Amino acid sequence: MKVAIQEAFKGIESRAGGPFGCVIVKDGKIVGKGHNEVLKNSDSTCHGEILAIQSACRTLKTHNLLGCELYTTSEPCIMCYGAILWANIFKVYYGCTAKDAEKIGFRDNVFSKYLNKTELSIDSENICREQCLEVFKQYMLLKDKQSY
């Protein structure tokens, strides 16, 4: 999670997007990294999870990430959960919750009614929430100081 948090800070410091960083791990080694680049690329699909999945696929030279684990600073949105399923990643660790993201201006909760996590074959676990909330706090400080 430490590296996912570093990725999130890279994204907010460069004004690339929101406070969302992600890493993908296989056999204890990081094989993919990404952070939110929605603003940088003017592309609403450039979430940290999506970019980390793309990075891992390039690294491993496969579309199938079976056996990988995903660490992300915030609970994945419905789009990212879809990509996680398509990539065959079945273990997700996340820091902040969708409600935490809503508190800083993101609308992940609007879509959560379409996501029945009990039906997903993904094992997700909330970890390191306090450290990830610090990323959100730093994001809000930057956002308040300048136009983001």
Side-chain angles (χ1 to χ4, degrees):
M1 187 62 86
K2 181 179 178 181
V3 178
I5 290 169
Q6 290 169 352
E7 278 295 311
F9 276 123
K10 275 189 207 176
I12 62 175
E13 288 167 0
S14 66
R15 309 280 195 278
F20 309 105
C22 182
V23 296
I24 297 176
V25 174
K26 182 162 190 173
D27 299 325
K29 294 181 181 162
I30 293 174
V31 295
K33 295 192 247 185
H35 57 264
N36 188 291
E37 294 188 7
V38 167
L39 298 176
K40 175 184 175 187
N41 295 319
S42 299
D43 182 343
S44 59
T45 66
C46 287
H47 291 197
E49 295 91 342
I50 302 293
L51 299 178
I53 289 169
Q54 292 171 348
S55 172
C57 288
R58 283 191 302 274
T59 298
L60 297 174
K61 296 179 177 35
T62 182
H63 67 283
N64 188 348
L65 300 181
L66 189 65
C68 291
E69 297 177 332
L70 185 143
Y71 294 78
T72 183
T73 55
S74 188
E75 188 174 8
C77 71
I78 192 168
M79 174 183 71
C80 291
Y81 266 124
I84 291 164
L85 282 168
W86 278 110
N88 290 316
I89 298 171
F90 298 107
K91 182 65 180 179
V92 172
Y93 298 95
Y94 64 92
C96 296
T97 66
K99 288 184 185 206
D100 295 327
E102 184 177 46
K103 288 177 186 173
I104 63 165
F106 292 89
R107 55 193 179 112
D108 297 41
N109 257 357
V110 170
F111 305 106
S112 62
K113 65 182 172 189
Y114 301 108
L115 183 65
N116 184 344
K117 284 192 258 178
T118 59
E119 291 183 12
L120 295 178
S121 53
I122 296 173
D123 179 19
S124 60
E125 186 177 335
N126 185 223
I127 64 169
C128 304
R129 183 170 176 261
E130 291 305 316
Q131 295 94 320
C132 293
L133 282 172
E134 187 59 34
V135 177
F136 278 23
K137 185 189 302 181
Q138 293 302 315
Y139 168 75
M140 290 306 292
L141 288 172
L142 280 174
K143 189 175 176 187
D144 289 345
K145 287 181 182 173
Q146 298 177 355
S147 172
Y148 207 82

